[in-house]
Amino acid sequence: MAPLRGVGVVVAGGDDRETEVIKEFAAQGARVTVVARPERDRLAGVAATAGLAEAVTGQAVLCLPISGVAADGSIRCKFEPQIVVEASALARMEPEGLVVGGPIKSRALVERLKELGLRHLDLADDDELAVLNAVPTAEGAIQLAMAHLPVTIHGSKFAVLGLGRTGLTLARTLRALGAEVWGVARNGVQLARAKELTVHPTPWEGLGAMLGCLTGVFNTVPALVLDRRLLAACARECLIIDLASAPGGVDFAAAEELGIRAELALGLPGKVAPITAGRILAGILTARIRGHVRHLRLGAGS
Ligand code: NAP
């Protein structure tokens, strides 16, 4: 039996990745309604409504973009004008429904979700998704470096700041392309993992001493780690690519003053590999919705 058969799912806003998500939901038997998306005339079995309130009425699941909901309730919509998630719309969902997507910054919406007994699943906390997304992120970061550098990755020297899910995959991929890599972390386990990957394990205190010899630095730490003092130790032709969520971890004003090229590169999976990133998202969302539906059915049976 199709695992999502009969489950009412609304997909609102987003970008090309959600096209893969919608296809997968439909293939799994869900009743899919889209809002602020172009699929309405293109995918069989997918309905569309103009407004979110109408779409979510009596539905069990609302999928919002992975970028989340802004403080004013607006969500990212690549294809149509931005829409706002109104608290009043949520009240129309099925009781114990699921709202899944990125972080919700609107306090009014968070409170309303709680009052209504709706569950919010924040994909920013999904470890499995982050590990899988590290692959298109690393490839996108390297693509950017290749576009800006006059030398090959092979034989070049890079530092990767932060060796979490993204940093480790990036360090490993750079090594596979023949680069020499320094992996910088504060955590002994991550440094041990670096060593295992033939990446030079480097505590933060050791960063300043080797910055001058680097072709480039990739940052994955979402805190200011590459400050003016460290930037001043870099060669002027060193390329800095910051992958950490806004505002990143680099003093960009100082980099500009010092004549160092530094770029904040966000949302790479959706930009460089929307189909792969969409399939990753589709797999995770399907699994999470199945888990939620199973939980409700078990609850109803007990
Ligand atoms: P992660 O697994 O949590 O890794 C973060 C790394 O940063 C860890 O090594 C962590 O060390 C370190 N760190 C955090 N705060 C620090 C601090 N104040 N000082 C020193 N080290 C610190 O996260 P991730 O999944 O790799 O993601 C990293 C960042 O990239 C996030 O901001 C994420 O939103 C972003 N991201 C961007 C893209 C893109 O397309 N640009 C794609 C995916 C993710 P500890 O473990 O010791 O805390």
Side-chain angles (χ1 to χ4, degrees):
M1 176 182 150
L4 298 184
R5 183 173 298 283
V7 179
V9 182
V10 176
V11 180
D15 52 35
D16 299 291
R17 287 172 288 185
E18 278 78 4
T19 302
E20 296 305 309
V21 170
I22 291 162
K23 282 187 204 163
E24 181 63 17
F25 285 168
Q28 300 277 340
R31 289 183 287 108
V32 187
T33 307
V34 298
V35 184
R37 296 208 48 87
E39 286 82 10
R40 57 183 154 251
D41 302 321
R42 300 189 200 158
L43 288 177
V46 174
T49 62
L52 188 65
E54 187 192 339
V56 298
T57 302
Q59 307 288 24
V61 181
L62 170 60
C63 281
L64 297 173
I66 192 170
S67 49
V69 181
D72 64 359
S74 61
I75 57 171
R76 182 176 136 72
C77 301
K78 178 179 172 185
F79 306 102
E80 297 198 15
Q82 208 171 45
I83 57 169
V84 170
V85 182
E86 306 279 0
S88 56
L90 298 176
R92 294 169 167 237
M93 287 182 69
E94 231 179 46
E96 297 187 82
L98 174 70
V99 176
V100 62
I104 298 181
K105 294 197 177 123
S106 155
R107 287 181 61 184
L109 280 181
V110 172
E111 274 162 29
R112 194 75 183 114
L113 281 166
K114 276 191 203 142
E115 284 163 15
L116 292 165
L118 298 171
R119 184 171 167 218
H120 173 228
L121 204 57
D122 186 347
L123 293 174
D125 298 330
D126 200 306
D127 210 23
E128 205 177 326
L129 178 63
V131 169
L132 294 170
N133 260 341
V135 174
T137 306
E139 288 191 14
I142 292 169
Q143 178 179 318
L144 207 55
M146 289 169 79
H148 290 318
L149 288 172
V151 293
T152 56
I153 299 295
H154 185 276
S156 291
K157 297 179 177 185
F158 296 99
V160 176
L161 312 185
L163 294 173
R165 297 160 301 192
T166 307
L168 274 177
T169 298
L170 176 57
R172 179 191 296 115
T173 312
L174 287 165
R175 284 294 292 137
L177 287 170
E180 187 170 4
V181 182
W182 283 258
V184 184
R186 60 185 176 183
N187 172 320
V189 177
Q190 291 171 11
L191 292 173
R193 182 63 73 193
K195 193 167 185 184
E196 178 259 323
L197 293 171
T198 68
V199 167
H200 302 298
T202 312
W204 285 96
E205 312 80 77
L207 177 62
M210 29 74 60
L211 277 172
C213 76
L214 296 177
T215 317
V217 179
F218 296 93
N219 175 53
T220 72
V221 177
L224 181 60
V225 284
L226 216 45
D227 57 15
R228 181 179 292 272
R229 181 185 64 83
L230 287 173
L231 286 165
C234 295
R236 294 299 160 266
E237 58 278 9
C238 180
L239 172 68
I240 296 176
I241 296 181
D242 194 352
L243 302 172
S245 50
V250 176
D251 183 340
F252 288 97
E256 196 176 347
E257 280 170 34
L258 291 162
I260 295 171
R261 181 169 196 150
E263 201 167 307
L264 183 62
L266 298 177
L268 289 176
K271 286 178 188 158
V272 304
I275 292 193
T276 304
R279 288 178 183 158
I280 290 170
L281 190 58
I284 294 292
L285 283 172
T286 303
R288 301 296 172 263
I289 295 170
R290 281 175 69 175
H292 178 75
V293 169
R294 198 178 307 126
H295 170 77
L296 289 185
R297 286 180 185 153
L298 283 175
S302 62

